[in-house]
Amino acid sequence: MPNNQILKAYTGLDGGVVASGSTCGVVSGGAMGLAISHYDELMINGLPAQVAILSLIGGYAKWFEDSYGSTLCRDRSGVDFYKATGQIRYLIPGDKATKCMWHIRGAIRHLYSYHKKELPAVNMNSSENEDAPIHCAKKVLEGIREQTGIGNDNLEQLSFIFDGGIGLQGGVCGALAGAIMGINILLGLNIRDTSYYQSVKAFAVGHINLLRNKPGLNPEPFNVGKQIVKQFKKEAGGMECKVITEKELSEWSEYQSYVESSKKCEGLIAFAANEASKAIKMYKPLVA
């Protein structure tokens, strides 16, 4: 399923969502890979397949945490990419960057066999299957499309993977992930059409922009995304689902019941969609 826009949207999740240290991009990337590998079943079976895929993703996230100590980038790297000293320490002498490459290698090997697993059976009552579920990331992406015209059908269909913080594991909030992915549909790196030189340049420019206090008018994903992360953390009180909700929502029904009744989640979904849409409207005229 070579959807270039999904990859482009995902470039904003690098370094734990705009290098902010939340859920590792290897975890969120692996989660999307697992969902895509079961795309046909998802289109046929709908919500029961979503719940089964969330269970599969939850298992992958737990494997990653057990294998590498944490699913959070800040815990694994031990550096702050928003400081020059943190960026230097990540690259020199090279042990931390090498460790990330090693974890990517391990995750790819694990996922290669893991994606072949059949979806687990799930028991859902008729009312759960009939009601339209709330997916935080999807709601934000839909809000962005409504306000700006920027969107992608497949990304919206697959964004349920962020429910409850990636497979109901309490990681990065789906509303924040949706906002960053929406911005990167416009500003992200088009990986398949980007040369090695362009990739290195984008990496350097992006990380320099993380150190700047004022965003200016530079239509660069880290430059723009950093401001969204900052605003969201201030509004929500954190970045991870378990921090924001102060709950462990490890079951689908529990998660859905909470998000349906939570005014805080409702407000954050609207906030994330509006902030991302304002940024897109501001920077869209500057993108060739």
Side-chain angles (χ1 to χ4, degrees):
M1 186 180 175
N3 191 307
N4 289 348
Q5 277 203 320
I6 289 181
L7 289 178
K8 189 176 182 183
Y10 248 61
T11 57
L13 303 183
D14 178 40
V17 188
V18 198
S20 64
S22 189
T23 299
C24 173
V26 186
V27 176
S28 56
M32 179 60 77
L34 284 171
I36 289 174
S37 71
H38 292 284
Y39 187 79
D40 290 342
E41 295 160 276
L42 183 62
M43 293 299 99
I44 293 170
N45 297 321
L47 182 56
Q50 289 182 3
V51 177
I53 290 169
L54 283 171
S55 177
L56 204 63
I57 290 170
Y60 165 62
K62 289 176 182 175
W63 168 86
F64 190 93
E65 183 173 17
D66 290 343
S67 299
Y68 303 126
S70 175
T71 60
L72 301 181
C73 183
R74 58 177 173 266
D75 291 343
R76 289 173 49 254
S77 68
V79 302
D80 183 351
F81 289 101
Y82 288 13
K83 295 181 179 179
T85 52
Q87 292 190 20
I88 292 170
R89 178 61 187 91
Y90 181 74
L91 295 172
I92 300 173
D95 58 312
K96 292 186 178 293
T98 301
K99 183 171 72 172
C100 285
M101 297 301 106
W102 189 257
H103 292 177
I104 290 170
R105 174 182 181 270
I108 290 172
R109 288 189 167 196
H110 180 76
L111 287 165
Y112 180 73
S113 59
Y114 204 77
H115 85 278
K116 298 177 182 179
K117 289 187 176 182
E118 293 185 4
L119 291 181
V122 296
N123 295 318
M124 301 184 64
N125 60 48
S126 58
S127 62
E128 283 181 316
N129 206 3
E130 290 172 1
D131 295 341
I134 295 176
H135 305 300
C136 299
K138 183 179 181 182
K139 293 283 286 185
V140 171
L141 288 166
E142 289 174 342
I144 292 171
R145 186 200 285 262
E146 184 178 337
Q147 294 186 51
T148 69
I150 299 291
N152 179 271
D153 289 336
N154 287 331
L155 182 61
E156 289 173 20
Q157 290 170 341
L158 294 165
S159 61
F160 72 89
I161 66 173
F162 289 94
D163 286 0
I166 300 279
L168 305 173
Q169 296 304 300
V172 64
C173 172
L176 176 58
I180 298 302
M181 290 189 294
I183 290 170
N184 278 270
I185 292 175
L186 175 68
L187 300 178
L189 196 63
N190 198 343
I191 295 172
R192 287 197 172 96
D193 296 326
T194 302
S195 68
Y196 176 76
Y197 167 76
Q198 290 171 322
S199 296
V200 172
K201 180 181 178 181
F203 178 88
V205 171
H207 282 74
I208 289 171
N209 283 331
L210 290 177
L211 305 177
R212 294 176 174 171
N213 292 323
K214 295 183 179 180
L217 291 176
N218 182 7
E220 190 276 325
F222 274 23
N223 177 57
V224 180
K226 178 185 177 182
Q227 307 308 314
I228 299 295
V229 169
K230 181 179 178 180
Q231 293 159 2
F232 186 89
K233 285 176 67 176
K234 183 178 179 180
E235 183 75 12
M239 297 176 61
E240 286 79 48
C241 183
K242 62 184 176 184
V243 174
I244 295 169
T245 64
E246 299 180 335
K247 291 181 178 294
E248 296 284 343
L249 304 172
S250 57
E251 298 292 333
W252 162 257
S253 58
E254 186 181 16
Y255 159 77
Q256 196 58 214
S257 176
Y258 180 87
V259 77
E260 285 176 359
S261 61
S262 173
K263 292 297 181 183
K264 184 175 185 179
C265 290
E266 181 182 1
L268 289 175
I269 288 169
F271 179 82
N274 291 337
E275 291 301 314
S277 297
K278 284 193 291 186
I280 288 171
K281 291 174 183 177
M282 178 185 296
Y283 292 99
K284 188 175 180 181
L286 303 176
V287 178

